Amino acid sequence: MESLSYQLKEQIIDALNLKGMTPSDIDGDVPLFGDQGLGLDSIDALELIVILEKNYAIKLTDPAKSKDILKSVNSMVSYIEANGKF
Amino acid sequence: MTGITGHNIFCGLGFGSDEVYSRIRAGESDLGLHDSGFALPEPFYASLVQRDEIERRFAGLPDTCQMTAFEKAMVLSAADAVAMSGIDPSAEDTLFVLSSTKGNVELLESGMERPDGRMSIWSSARRLASFFGNPNEPVCVSNACTSGICAQIAAFRAISSGKFRNAVVVGADFLSRFVVSGFQSLKALSSERCRPFALHRKGLNLSEAVASIVLSSDTAGIGISLEGGAIRNDATHISAPSRTASGQIAAINAVLEGKPGFDLAFVNLHGTATLYNDSMESVALHTCGLDTLPAVSYKSIFGHTLGAAGVVETIVSALSMLEGVVFPTPGYGENGVPYELSLSDRFRKISGTGFLKVMSGFGGVNAATLYKLIR
Amino acid sequence: MKLLSEYSFVPSPENVDELYRSLGMSYPKFFKMDLMSKASLLAAERVLLSAGLRSDETKPDMAVVLVNSTSSAIDDIEFQKTISKESFFPSPSLFVYTLPNVACAEIAIRNRIMGETSFYLRSSYSEDFLFKAAGWAFSDPSCRKVLCGWTECLTDTPLCRMMLLERDI
């Protein structure tokens, strides 16, 4: 599902104002949060939840569960493939 | 000395501090589930000011500038507090200070692309001041959830500067599709009555209120004086409090500095019932050596009334100080914060001659005010 | 109080990007901010640099006082668009900027300013009020310096004017 991953990265770049970044700059396996990778914060996490809701009809309500899903682009892709509409 | 000479609370529980106080004293709360409120897809837990009650009370008063319900409620609340204080609201040495986070933001629903004068908070404040014939440009404080006590601090400083003898501090925020959906998007709301500092707390309840305090120089007023206040930023994150509570600790220390032996009876916490706020406050109180002091949060009684919260809560604390009790914090059961605080599910008698009020909010801002009982 | 440095510019999306580049800053968070925070942060950067103050030094004795007329109306309008009845996806990252004092926080975070931060609203630009509000911040005994500014991006005459004031000793 290269295309889903690419599309998701584009949506992340757009929603989080990651200026100057392209999908190829984001490694699908690298953690989105913390010091490595994109270094996203708690508001970014909430914005990722909006991306899933808006584009893939996925509603995340359990914050503890969200953490694993939002770990990386690839973990989000797996979840979308299993649960989303795309 | 800067004393409280008048006060009013207008909320879902009623109009007037005495009515509201007697109802919460009897254990009442107006918090409840609002399904399809503001045409929102998800229900929310809140207490709302009845719009027809505003119109009923306002009927017969002059409305020369077509005030919104929000503005009429401010006028009603301020008028009641001013009448109690006996001050002249039209005097040059009276200043109006408004605390609101979102004012008339509901007007955006009519689809405006650029805000007109009506939407600005300063224009609401002007309508308020001009209703009372006050000649001064009002001061508008917008410091997120701390605004209600930051407005009192601004009033205190304006009075201390010698230019003003009286200040009418009005705290006001109404809910809207805008405000509720915003907090929903932050996953900050509890789907049931909030439980400050409790192990199983799930977030906050938003609510509406308008409240007013008149502060006057050289008088003890109702017997409670504002001794000072301090505001500190924790410079950590725009929406999350510092885990070390650095800003709140600095604000509390600043307000208590130079007051050795000040006999605190209780502390009125922000206690929103969000995971991070309540934990941060417990760290702050513990570090300041205040964790054994009787503590209270009113959020599970009133909900979080945003720009009004600091004013509402100061009034309730002042009245309970005068009565010699500290309120229970409904919903607090098992402790859920790093350092257990002295909270209770029942009224407690207090000793001491003053209370501390603390708040924190988005934008890393923390504020503390100190009040003294004057017999 | 003594004026240590000041800087004014007309804030617009183009002007803030230009100023960011000219300052040679590397601060990725900048791109996530709303226009008012960007403008205020850059003006603060200029003023603090002129006064020889480093952003990475903790400043417990400095306050940030900002004033404007339209509050966060630019962001309010944008957020309102995300909650229409047809397409209801409220944006958390937009909502946080619908509190104007978040601009104070962005300056405080960047420059480790731990003193007071206050945001006031006023019908129009008033230098008198800026000095009055700075004076209120100085009434806190621990406050030595105030970063004080007017930051208005929406009216017909947008202006960002920042001053660094020091307490008279």
Side-chain angles (χ1 to χ4, degrees), chain B residues 239-325:
Chain B
S239 66
S242 153
R243 281 170 197 256
T244 64
S246 58
Q248 194 60 275
I249 293 165
I252 292 171
N253 284 339
V255 85
L256 292 176
E257 199 176 290
K259 295 190 172 62
F262 193 97
D263 192 9
L264 281 175
F266 66 94
V267 54
N268 173 197
L269 295 161
H270 194 34
T272 58
T274 64
L275 209 52
Y276 294 113
N277 174 80
D278 293 6
S279 291
M280 182 278 286
E281 286 194 298
S282 90
V283 172
L285 253 60
H286 176 75
T287 310
C288 294
L290 297 174
D291 41 359
T292 56
L293 187 66
V296 60
S297 160
Y298 305 118
K299 296 295 191 296
S300 48
I301 300 173
F302 291 100
H304 189 343
T305 57
L306 304 170
V311 185
V312 170
E313 294 171 7
T314 297
I315 295 169
V316 173
S317 288
L319 297 179
S320 83
M321 179 89 230
L322 289 170
E323 196 195 328
V325 296

Side-chain angles (χ1 to χ4, degrees), chain B residues 46-202:
Chain B
S47 163
L48 306 178
V49 175
Q50 297 305 314
R51 300 301 190 265
D52 51 358
E53 176 73 2
I54 299 171
E55 295 302 332
R56 192 182 66 74
R57 289 186 174 273
F58 199 83
L61 292 176
D63 180 14
T64 49
C65 46
Q66 289 162 340
M67 280 186 266
T68 60
F70 169 74
E71 289 159 358
K72 287 176 182 171
M74 287 200 297
V75 164
L76 289 166
S77 172
D80 190 47
V82 163
M84 181 179 177
S85 71
I87 66 156
D88 175 4
S90 68
E92 257 180 46
D93 59 4
T94 297
L95 178 69
F96 278 77
V97 183
L98 174 59
S99 153
S100 182
T101 63
K102 294 317 299 171
N104 273 325
V105 75
E106 201 171 7
L107 294 176
L108 271 181
E109 280 167 32
S110 59
M112 61 175 78
E113 269 300 303
R114 276 179 77 87
D116 61 8
R118 286 219 68 90
M119 209 187 96
S120 301
I121 286 172
W122 59 260
S123 74
S124 291
R126 270 195 176 177
R127 271 176 223 115
L128 171 71
S130 75
F131 180 91
F132 293 96
N134 187 274
N136 302 304
E137 172 102 30
V139 171
C140 302
V141 179
S142 194
N143 252 3
C145 300
T146 67
S147 299
I149 57 175
C150 290
Q152 294 178 52
I153 293 171
F156 178 83
R157 290 168 175 175
I159 290 171
S160 303
S161 75
K163 197 177 167 202
F164 298 98
R165 276 179 54 201
N166 302 295
V168 183
V169 178
V170 180
D173 262 310
F174 274 5
L175 296 183
S176 57
R177 186 175 173 82
F178 185 108
V179 171
V180 178
S181 68
F183 277 93
Q184 283 175 337
S185 81
L186 296 175
K187 312 270 181 231
L189 301 185
S190 170
S191 54
E192 51 197 60
R193 189 165 168 186
C194 73
R195 305 182 61 181
F197 303 99
L199 183 60
H200 299 296
R201 67 188 182 280
K202 292 177 178 168

Side-chain angles (χ1 to χ4, degrees), chain A residues 15-19 40 43-44 46-47 50 53-54, chain C residues 17 31-33 87-94 96:
Chain A
L16 305 187
N17 283 323
L18 301 174
K19 192 151 177 161
L40 304 185
I43 300 169
D44 297 320
L46 295 166
E47 206 62 59
V50 177
E53 205 171 304
K54 195 169 174 176
Chain C
D17 284 351
F31 297 104
K32 294 186 176 189
M33 295 177 194
S87 173
F88 181 81
F89 298 103
S91 163
S93 56
L94 270 176
V96 291

Side-chain angles (χ1 to χ4, degrees), chain A residues 71-86:
Chain A
K71 214 158 87 187
S72 67
V73 168
N74 286 351
S75 65
M76 287 175 75
V77 167
S78 310
Y79 193 81
I80 294 168
E81 284 172 348
N83 304 281
K85 293 180 189 149
F86 55 95

Side-chain angles (χ1 to χ4, degrees), chain C residues 142-159:
Chain C
S142 74
C143 178
R144 312 305 306 178
K145 292 187 181 73
V146 179
L147 202 49
C148 179
W150 172 263
T151 180
E152 176 56 61
C153 302
L154 189 63
T155 58
D156 294 334
T157 51
L159 173 69

